[in-house]
């Protein structure tokens, strides 16, 4: 018998534990990736690619950043396959272990001066390991939360969006933690920061790993997965038999990830290295931290709003706001005023990007049936991160180097990502309130393929 709506207002300890598990997992995910993006912007060009022109060194450092994103769709495919075949819980434990271990090992890497070309080779290898693990992390964590919420609240769970925001909150929380730790170590004298200070944020990831594993070991398997009939062929073949939902899922997330990447990790490199700017590293990191704190409030609010009025209007509003703010945000950054820098990142990242990103967890999981949901949602989400976040810093750095440092290319990238999301959302049908029944053929339902209402 399904729980009543009244009982749904008193979430079970298991649902709260699953939500905490998802939060910790995505926090580790974004902490690891944002620490890398921040440190890459500050010192990796010199430490792992010495002798290159500063602009070329930055591009090379962000190239290794992109390598992690290239591996993410493959990780989504591999972990999605086993998550749909043998269960979500075991994949969540494995992905978190690989993520935290990869980050810890980066903190132990010798630099180019110590081992030559093997230093960047090992760096790229660990980035790929991280990317593979993170490719499977988000799907497992989000599906566990949404499917437990569906089980607790009944078919069409009325607060799936709000509960799924626990995994989305890992993005700004990971950003706050990474920026805070890097801010502390960046106050060291420059020679100490380059010698050993940059390693500290990576080594500290083992603490998040330990806490996350403690919680995840106490989480039960998804009840919807346990009740679903197994497929008689690999889930990816079922998903790709009709690829439209995966393509729509990928496109709808591009705007959020483009904005996130350009207004966090890349912005540190951009603002610190501005020829006419007056920003120090601590000023930029403080601005990113403040914007991420605002995102911690906006994300659950946007997700809860999507439970009331629908996923489409909320994500569309965020995309339109991001496009409208693209040029003003960069103009504020270019003023050289710390106060206006904070305002720019709060508006662009804390508000507009978070409004786009908040409902994505629920929206993407609602687009696929239970027996292919891990594979389908992971492929769509990770393809969006590859296109929107993986290549944006690399493209922006290259365009800036060839454009004499003007901010127009960055604004155009922000607008382009937001436009892709806006057009895609317009093509989607509303999924709020749809039951997440465990029918394995759900992904083949034409009503799930993004036809507009």
């Amino acid at each position: 018998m399904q729980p009543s709506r009244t009982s749904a207002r008193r979430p079970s300890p298991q649902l709260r534990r699953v939500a905490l598990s998802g939060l910790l997992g995505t926090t580790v995910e974004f902490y690891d990736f944002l620490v890398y993006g921040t440190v890459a912007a500050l010192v990796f060009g010199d430490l792992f690619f010495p002798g290159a022109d500063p602009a070329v060194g930055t591009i090379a450092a962000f190239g290794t950043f992109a390598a992690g994103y290239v591996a993410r769709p493959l990780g989504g495919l591999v972990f999605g396959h086993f998550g749909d075949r043998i269960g979500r819980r075991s994949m969540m434990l494995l992905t978190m272990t690989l993520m935290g271990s990869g980050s810890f090992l980066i903190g132990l890497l010798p630099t180019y001066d110590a081992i030559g070309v093997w230093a960047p080779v090992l760096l790229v290898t660990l980035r790929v390991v991280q990317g593979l693990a993170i490719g499977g992390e988000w799907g497992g964590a989000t599906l566990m939360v949404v499917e437990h919420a569906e089980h607790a609240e009944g078919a069409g769970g009325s607060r799936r969006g709000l509960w799924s925001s626990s995994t989305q909150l890992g993005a700004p929380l990971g950003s706050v933690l990474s920026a805070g730790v890097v801010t502390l170590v960046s106050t060291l004298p420059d020679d100490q920061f380059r010698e050993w200070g940059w390693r500290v944020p990576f080594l500290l990831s083992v603490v998040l790993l330990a806490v996350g594993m403690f919680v995840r070991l106490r989480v039960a398997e998804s009840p919807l997965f346990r009740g679903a009939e197994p497929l008689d062929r690999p889930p990816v073949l079922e998903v790709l038999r009709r690829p439209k939902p995966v393509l729509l899922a990928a496109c709808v997330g591009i705007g959020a990830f483009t904005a996130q990447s350009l207004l966090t990790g890349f912005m540190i490199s951009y603002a610190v290295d501005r020829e006419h700017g007056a920003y120090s590293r601590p000023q930029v990191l403080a601005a990113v931290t403040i914007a991420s704190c605002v995102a911690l409030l906006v994300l659950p609010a946007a997700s809860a709003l999507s439970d009331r009025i629908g996923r489409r209007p909320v994500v569309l509003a965020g995309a339109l706001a991001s496009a409208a703010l693209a040029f003003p945000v960069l103009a504020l950054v270019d003023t050289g005023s710390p106060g206006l820098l904070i305002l720019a990142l709060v508006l662009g990242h804390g508000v507009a990007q978070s409004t786009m990103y908040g409902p994505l967890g629920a929206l993407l999981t609602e687009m696929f049936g239970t027996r292919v949901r891990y594979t389908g949602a992971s492929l769509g989400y990770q393809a969006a991160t590859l296109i929107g976040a993986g290549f944006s810093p690399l493209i922006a750095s290259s365009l800036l180097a060839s454009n004499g440092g003007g901010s127009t290319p960055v604004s155009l990238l922000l607008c382009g990502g937001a436009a892709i999301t806006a057009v895609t959302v317009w093509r989607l049908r509303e999924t709020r309130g749809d039951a997440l029944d465990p029918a394995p053929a759900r992904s083949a339902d034409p009503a799930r393929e993004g036809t507009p209402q």
Side-chain angles (χ1 to χ4, degrees), residues 243-301:
K244 189 175 180 180
V246 174
L247 295 176
L248 290 171
C251 290
V252 79
I254 286 176
F257 287 112
T258 300
Q260 179 191 75
S261 182
L262 293 178
L263 297 178
T264 53
F266 174 79
M267 184 54 61
I268 296 168
S269 173
Y270 176 86
V272 170
D273 293 339
R274 295 294 295 163
E275 294 178 0
H276 61 278
Y279 300 115
S280 65
R281 283 188 306 217
Q283 285 175 329
V284 182
L285 290 168
V288 171
T289 302
I290 292 170
S292 297
C293 289
V294 173
L296 288 172
L297 301 176
V298 175
L299 268 169

Side-chain angles (χ1 to χ4, degrees), residues 79 82-83 86-96 374:
F79 289 104
F82 290 104
I86 66 176
R88 283 68 158 118
R89 182 179 179 272
S90 56
M91 294 302 103
M92 288 172 61
L93 294 171
L94 181 56
T95 56
M96 177 171 276
Y374 203 142

